[in-house]
Amino acid sequence: MKITSFDKKIINDIYIHDFLLNDFSYNNLMGILTINLLSDRNELKNKSFVLNDIIYIEYNNVNFWGGDGVPFDCVVVDDNFTKFNELKSRLEEKSICPSKLKGDVIELSFYNLSGGELRIICRSIDYNEYDND
């Protein structure tokens, strides 16, 4: 399923709370980030997110709470508090508007139990579920 800025709220309904991070791969030249999450429960399908045309990535690894990095949660960032808007306003103050800042985007955050956050701004997401075999 392809997710764009028009239907981005779908992300908030994707359950990944009990999933383990299996694979995390970023291709800087292509601007693609792939995240694969596995479930150890047979009734849940594994999940794959391919984030396309990456504009911004910010990663904080926090281990304050003694957690092991799971479970995960993923939410779309509130349109009023986005890093994208912050970056745009900073550049507009300097009369700079790169083409990357034009058009619709999706800004989302993956959180884990230990307090870590992966914040991403991209143009679209390819989301897939596959059997837990």
Side-chain angles (χ1 to χ4, degrees):
M1 164 191 344
K2 185 125 183 143
I3 302 171
T4 66
S5 63
F6 301 106
D7 56 0
K8 65 186 177 184
K9 295 294 182 181
I10 292 170
I11 294 166
N12 293 336
D13 297 327
I14 298 172
Y15 182 78
I16 59 172
H17 186 69
D18 293 322
F19 286 71
L20 303 171
L21 178 63
N22 181 55
D23 180 43
F24 177 93
S25 170
Y26 179 59
N27 182 324
N28 188 50
L29 293 175
M30 300 295 291
I32 296 172
L33 174 69
T34 303
I35 300 171
N36 290 307
L37 301 169
L38 300 180
S39 173
D40 58 358
R41 295 169 43 192
N42 288 335
E43 69 272 14
L44 297 175
K45 292 186 179 253
N46 297 323
K47 317 241 185 226
S48 172
F49 296 84
V50 179
L51 299 101
N52 302 299
D53 198 6
I54 299 287
I55 296 168
Y56 179 86
I57 293 179
E58 178 180 324
Y59 179 67
N60 296 312
N61 185 28
V62 180
N63 287 314
F64 292 158
W65 312 115
D68 58 5
V70 294
F72 269 93
D73 280 316
C74 180
V75 296
V76 173
V77 175
D78 184 316
D79 288 337
N80 296 316
F81 301 100
T82 66
K83 190 70 167 179
F84 186 68
N85 290 339
E86 178 188 328
L87 294 171
K88 262 175 91 168
S89 66
R90 275 196 212 169
L91 290 172
E92 285 169 355
E93 286 173 9
K94 298 179 179 171
S95 299
I96 301 170
C97 191
S99 60
K100 280 282 191 188
L101 294 181
K102 296 178 182 174
D104 295 318
V105 298
I106 302 170
E107 186 168 341
L108 65 152
S109 288
F110 287 88
Y111 295 95
N112 63 25
L113 182 64
S114 66
E117 177 187 10
L118 173 63
R119 183 174 282 211
I120 303 152
I121 302 171
C122 65
R123 298 279 178 210
S124 67
I125 300 168
D126 294 321
Y127 170 72
N128 292 297
E129 295 183 352
Y130 54 97
D131 286 333
N132 186 355
D133 293 331

